[in-house]
Amino acid sequence: MQTYARLPVSFVRGEGAYLYDEQGEAYLDALGGIAVCALGHAHPAVTRAICEQAQTLLHTSNLYGIQNQQALADKLCDISGVDRVFFCNSGAEANEAAIKIARRYGHHRNIDIPHIVVMENSFHGRTLATLTATANRKAQQGFEPLVEGFIRVPYNDIEAVAALARSRDDIVAVLVEPVQGEGGINIPSPGYLQGLKQLCEKHQWLLMLDEIQSGVGRTGRWFAFQHENIQPDVLTSAKALGNGVPISACLARGHAADILQPGTHGTTFGGNPLACAAALAVLESIERDNLLARIAELGAYMLSGFQTALSHYTAGANPAITAIRGKGLMIGIQLQRDCADLVKLALAQKLLINVTAGNVVRLLPPYILNDSEAERIVETVSSLIKQFLATP
Ligand code: PLP
């Protein structure tokens, strides 16, 4: 169906940070399948794990024990501080599981119509419940009736959440991205997540972090919340977790981890041996190659590169570039005006980028970039933005 207005290119092969089209032309990939191919394309360890698993066992169903699902769950618990994991196949599905946990948690507390606090500019997926949680009126239009039980407040506004706590007694959880991705690489002020955590603890709400885009190393820690010294009750992960093999996870700790019991939730494909083998190889590779430190280093290098190259456009009372933001390899450059055309201009330079929220150039490059690839991204994107701003 016509769900995407596609760009006029098809890729037939990938290797490291590059994709190759049908003519064999190489494109430097600064988007990584929208934060998915974090180890680059055709990563040897992931490829090996997939091949070996495919020769051994693809699928058995969740009616039986799955060894590498258990190993992956143990590893995820270890790196994130949670107690249990439910595996599924997409980001939206992981958030659906989180929403179901929150509702059931509410019913345990005798709240008949449980409400979840969500944020402006958020993105949580395209299923009916996650679309309702998503703050994009255009994406919701035509799909009404939406799902009951969500209350929206501005992002990065702790007082707005505190005010809800004073006025309502039907709230059970807060669902928030520690860094908003689709919303424009919005990074909240230091202390915001801690403030949410305190409110959640005080009012017995679950703090549910959507780390589908920001997790699995993207910001230089395993999960973005780890910059803030807090622990969520529920955490969702997808995208980079399988480096291209569909897998997602809803992780939970404490009481939240015990809410889903046999018969309350399920999935046919979720956590199958193939997907878990790929995800295990992803986590092992990030660890073995010490990539978390490298992500932080690359991110800082690229961010300061952009700040220097574009400083002329960020200064003054009415700057053409209103912000350059980044956390690890999640980088956003916000222009004053809409700039979707930059995607095609970059494509012509054999560079893959994205524009989100209308006016934010979004870069989500793979963690395996070398210095000269990072430099090429900074130089090409900066000069394209300058050219773009020079035309009315
Ligand atoms: N949550 C966040 C923060 C995302 O960035 C996305 C996808 O962009 C999703 C949820 C939905 O994930 P999926 O498209 O795999 O359903």
Side-chain angles (χ1 to χ4, degrees):
M1 295 188 190
Q2 292 149 307
T3 50
Y4 284 85
R6 295 181 200 272
L7 289 159
V9 64
S10 305
F11 298 110
V12 294
R13 188 171 76 79
E15 193 179 337
Y18 293 91
L19 283 169
Y20 297 84
D21 69 11
E22 291 149 309
Q23 284 75 42
E25 290 273 6
Y27 294 69
L28 181 55
D29 189 359
L31 186 60
I34 323 181
V36 168
C37 303
L39 295 178
H41 301 283
H43 187 275
V46 181
T47 304
R48 201 177 319 116
I50 294 169
C51 291
E52 280 172 12
Q53 192 59 48
Q55 284 166 341
T56 313
L57 184 64
L58 282 182
H59 179 86
T60 57
S61 92
N62 281 301
L63 297 176
Y64 313 105
I66 299 174
Q67 274 179 2
N68 59 8
Q69 184 187 105
Q70 183 63 54
L72 179 60
D74 289 344
K75 185 72 197 162
L76 283 168
C77 289
D78 185 40
I79 62 176
S80 69
V82 302
D83 297 325
R84 291 182 186 278
V85 187
F86 173 79
F87 288 104
C88 29
N89 313 284
S90 67
E93 260 181 277
N95 284 337
E96 284 280 341
I99 292 164
K100 286 180 76 174
I101 288 173
R103 286 189 164 195
R104 218 171 151 78
Y105 168 77
H107 289 293
H108 288 181
R109 293 185 51 206
N110 295 320
I111 295 172
D112 290 338
I113 305 183
H115 279 71
I116 299 171
V117 179
V118 291
M119 304 300 156
E120 283 173 11
N121 289 316
S122 62
F123 187 86
H124 298 294
R126 301 282 197 162
T127 61
L128 279 172
T130 60
L131 180 66
T132 308
T134 291
N136 183 338
R137 194 53 210 132
K138 238 169 82 185
Q140 293 171 339
Q141 235 151 26
F143 298 107
E144 297 85 356
L146 296 173
V147 174
E148 226 189 324
F150 294 92
I151 313 169
R152 197 172 306 286
V153 294
Y155 189 58
N156 197 23
D157 182 346
I158 198 71
E159 185 44 42
V161 184
L164 283 181
R166 290 191 292 272
S167 63
R168 302 185 66 131
D169 56 11
D170 58 355
I171 293 170
V172 295
V174 175
L175 173 62
V176 60
E177 295 157 87
V179 178
Q180 288 185 330
E182 305 299 304
I185 315 291
N186 302 316
I187 303 165
S189 317
Y192 173 65
L193 291 177
Q194 278 175 2
L196 288 180
K197 175 72 186 173
Q198 279 162 15
L199 280 173
C200 285
E201 267 181 0
K202 185 167 170 204
H203 299 284
Q204 292 176 283
W205 304 341
L206 301 179
L207 178 62
M208 310 205 296
L209 299 183
D210 179 344
E211 293 238 26
I212 282 157
Q213 196 160 141
S214 61
V216 196
R218 177 59 54 189
T219 69
R221 299 279 170 94
W222 280 117
F223 292 95
F225 76 79
Q226 290 164 333
H227 293 279
E228 290 285 329
N229 197 26
I230 56 152
Q231 190 66 49
D233 301 292
V234 177
L235 173 69
T236 54
S237 177
K239 289 198 183 269
L241 186 57
N243 207 55
V245 174
I247 181 168
S248 65
C250 176
L251 305 85
R253 66 185 275 274
H255 182 39
D258 291 326
I259 284 177
L260 297 181
Q261 291 291 328
T264 56
H265 197 47
T267 167
T268 298
F269 291 125
N272 81 15
L274 183 75
C276 291
L280 273 169
V282 168
L283 300 181
E284 282 163 12
S285 298
I286 291 174
E287 208 156 47
R288 189 194 52 233
D289 298 341
N290 203 13
L291 286 178
L292 296 179
R294 176 67 179 155
I295 293 158
E297 177 191 47
L298 271 170
Y301 167 79
M302 291 178 74
L303 191 64
S304 79
F306 282 121
Q307 279 159 347
T308 307
L310 297 169
S311 60
H312 176 66
Y313 301 84
T314 54
N318 188 23
I321 296 175
T322 52
I324 302 176
R325 300 183 280 263
K327 203 156 185 113
L329 288 176
M330 235 178 149
I331 299 171
I333 303 168
Q334 182 162 9
L335 274 58
Q336 200 184 65
R337 64 176 157 109
D338 282 1
C339 59
D341 289 349
L342 276 168
V343 172
K344 277 192 186 149
L345 296 173
L347 190 68
Q349 305 279 320
K350 306 282 184 281
L351 176 69
L352 304 178
I353 65 165
N354 176 251
V355 169
T356 191
N359 63 347
V360 181
V361 176
R362 175 172 55 158
L363 304 173
L364 299 161
Y367 310 162
I368 47 81
L369 284 185
N370 63 30
D371 291 354
S372 69
E373 288 158 353
E375 204 173 299
R376 185 179 150 205
I377 294 171
V378 172
E379 278 174 10
T380 310
V381 170
S382 299
S383 78
L384 283 171
I385 290 176
K386 288 179 196 171
Q387 281 168 38
F388 178 78
L389 291 175
T391 55

